[in-house]
Amino acid sequence: MSGISKWGKGKLGAIMLLSLLLILTGCGQANPTESNQEEGVQVVTTFYPVYDFASQVVGENGTVHLLLDAGQDTHGYEPTPKDLVTIAEADVFVYSSEHMETWVPAVLETLTDTDVLVVEAAEGLDFYENEETEEEHHDHDHEHGEGHSHVIDPHIWLDPVFAKEMVAAIAAGLESVDEENAEQYAENAAAYQEELDQLDQEFHTAFAEASNRTFVVQHAAFGYLARRYELEEVAISSFTSDQEVSPAQMATIGQFIEEHGVSTIYYQDSQSSKLAETLAAETGTELALLSAVEGVTAADQEEGTDYLTLMKDNLGALKQTIR
């Protein structure tokens, strides 16, 4: 299934139209937007992983914009009127999936009178659901029986093989919009996919002979990584970062740590580490960082941090446990 959709001409919603008029009037014709001042294909992305993938494919043939800064809530983000104009004026708008950027479907309804090409990079990939008790969390995507819900894990980019597919979807979109540079986009994508292949092989090699294949994390963001390399993720909290964990749940995880001789608890760089710190203190375990590759700042990027470097850091961290 293609992750690309073209939004045809139609009647623009009154709210969007008002926002456009207010902003464009405020800017004035003598002060065009940043996108209009820049040359080449203009791509707007939602959060860091798709920004990095799109940047690798675009190369020097245009500009890739990032909507969300590091630390902003990707799930509950509310785009500003300026954001809506930026998206509407782009050539391509790229997001991961409606499971991650839950606000995007509402934005797409405002694009019916634009020529922006929309790429859902993870469309068609094999998302999976995790069953939780009602005590663990509420208000998830699909209710299933009394006291339980099925929650779709949105962190699909943390699997290097799925990351390759997301890069391919982005490249296909760019090639269709900018046919003049289509060959360059294809070459850029292929080169980056080779690096993702190497990353995939490094994970396979590192864990091929491991006897302990279980790791404990604060936030359940690494399920796709675990599945790809036949590991088991045990999470203190679930997919939602703001979930409250009961004393009973903490006790259960603590008992698991003691019974299985777990030496390390992993916390996520873009989330509070409070739960992991509490449990580590109670069980005498070490703390280590695993990155979900979401909270990458501009300063981080200037220092050379990107998807590949963070995933290799994750590999090094997991070797403390998976061996």
Side-chain angles (χ1 to χ4, degrees):
M1 181 183 297
S2 172
I4 304 169
S5 58
K6 190 76 172 182
W7 294 81
K9 299 294 185 180
K11 183 178 179 181
L12 188 64
I15 296 176
M16 181 58 181
L17 179 58
L18 178 60
S19 298
L20 287 169
L21 289 175
L22 288 173
I23 293 172
L24 295 178
T25 302
C27 292
Q29 293 183 349
N31 296 292
T33 65
E34 180 182 1
S35 295
N36 288 336
Q37 292 175 332
E38 295 168 343
E39 296 181 356
V41 66
Q42 299 301 305
V43 181
V44 174
T45 62
T46 50
F47 73 128
Y48 183 76
V50 289
Y51 167 80
D52 193 23
F53 297 161
S55 297
Q56 296 294 334
V57 178
V58 169
E60 298 181 355
N61 294 310
T63 302
V64 182
H65 303 266
L66 178 61
L67 282 183
L68 278 73
D69 294 327
Q72 288 187 281
D73 181 9
T74 309
H75 300 288
Y77 180 70
E78 295 185 3
T80 66
K82 182 179 179 181
D83 292 335
L84 296 177
V85 172
T86 299
I87 295 169
E89 292 185 338
D91 298 306
V92 182
F93 173 55
V94 183
Y95 68 108
S96 178
S97 73
E98 64 180 30
H99 307 301
M100 187 64 185
E101 302 99 313
T102 56
W103 48 274
V104 164
V107 171
L108 298 185
E109 293 179 2
T110 72
L111 300 180
T112 56
D113 200 38
T114 74
D115 290 324
V116 61
L117 185 77
V118 177
V119 177
E120 182 180 359
E123 184 177 357
L125 298 184
D126 188 16
F127 285 90
Y128 77 89
E129 294 180 335
N130 182 57
E131 185 175 282
E132 298 177 327
T133 65
E134 185 174 349
E135 179 185 17
E136 288 176 317
H137 195 62
H138 304 278
D139 299 328
H140 280 307
D141 292 340
H142 303 290
E143 291 298 327
H144 183 75
E146 184 177 356
H148 290 79
S149 63
H150 282 267
V151 188
I152 294 178
D153 184 350
H155 304 90
I156 200 161
W157 64 91
L158 293 173
D159 176 342
V161 176
F162 283 149
K164 280 185 60 181
E165 297 299 321
M166 295 173 74
V167 170
I170 293 169
L174 287 163
E175 290 165 26
S176 69
V177 166
D178 183 13
E179 295 182 0
E180 182 178 348
N181 293 302
E183 184 175 350
Q184 185 63 60
Y185 298 137
E187 291 176 359
N188 291 346
Y192 189 59
Q193 287 173 319
E194 285 185 9
E195 295 189 78
L196 292 171
D197 279 333
Q198 293 173 8
L199 177 67
D200 174 46
Q201 188 57 52
E202 288 179 30
F203 271 93
H204 274 297
T205 300
F207 303 141
E209 305 298 329
S211 57
N212 175 55
R213 311 190 72 83
T214 301
F215 62 102
V216 176
V217 297
Q218 173 171 306
H219 177 47
F222 304 93
Y224 292 99
L225 185 71
R227 286 182 171 220
R228 179 63 61 187
Y229 305 110
E230 299 181 346
L231 309 178
E232 180 182 0
E233 175 193 58
V234 176
I236 301 172
S237 67
S238 188
F239 301 137
T240 49
S241 59
D242 59 350
Q243 176 191 335
E244 293 184 4
V245 179
S246 70
Q249 289 174 281
M250 290 288 281
T252 299
I253 295 292
Q255 183 177 0
F256 177 90
I257 289 172
E258 292 178 1
E259 290 179 353
H260 292 79
V262 174
S263 61
T264 304
I265 298 174
Y266 296 97
Y267 66 94
Q268 189 176 322
D269 52 355
S270 57
Q271 307 292 343
S272 168
S273 59
K274 183 178 179 180
L275 282 177
E277 291 172 357
T278 299
L279 194 55
E282 292 177 353
T283 57
T285 52
E286 300 293 327
L287 287 174
L289 172 67
L290 281 183
S291 176
V293 199
E294 295 180 51
V296 182
T297 66
D300 292 333
Q301 294 175 52
E302 290 177 1
E303 293 175 358
T305 300
D306 59 17
Y307 176 87
L308 289 173
T309 63
L310 289 173
M311 289 296 288
K312 289 180 180 180
D313 288 345
N314 285 345
L315 174 59
L318 284 170
K319 286 180 180 179
Q320 299 178 36
T321 300
I322 311 301
R323 54 177 183 262

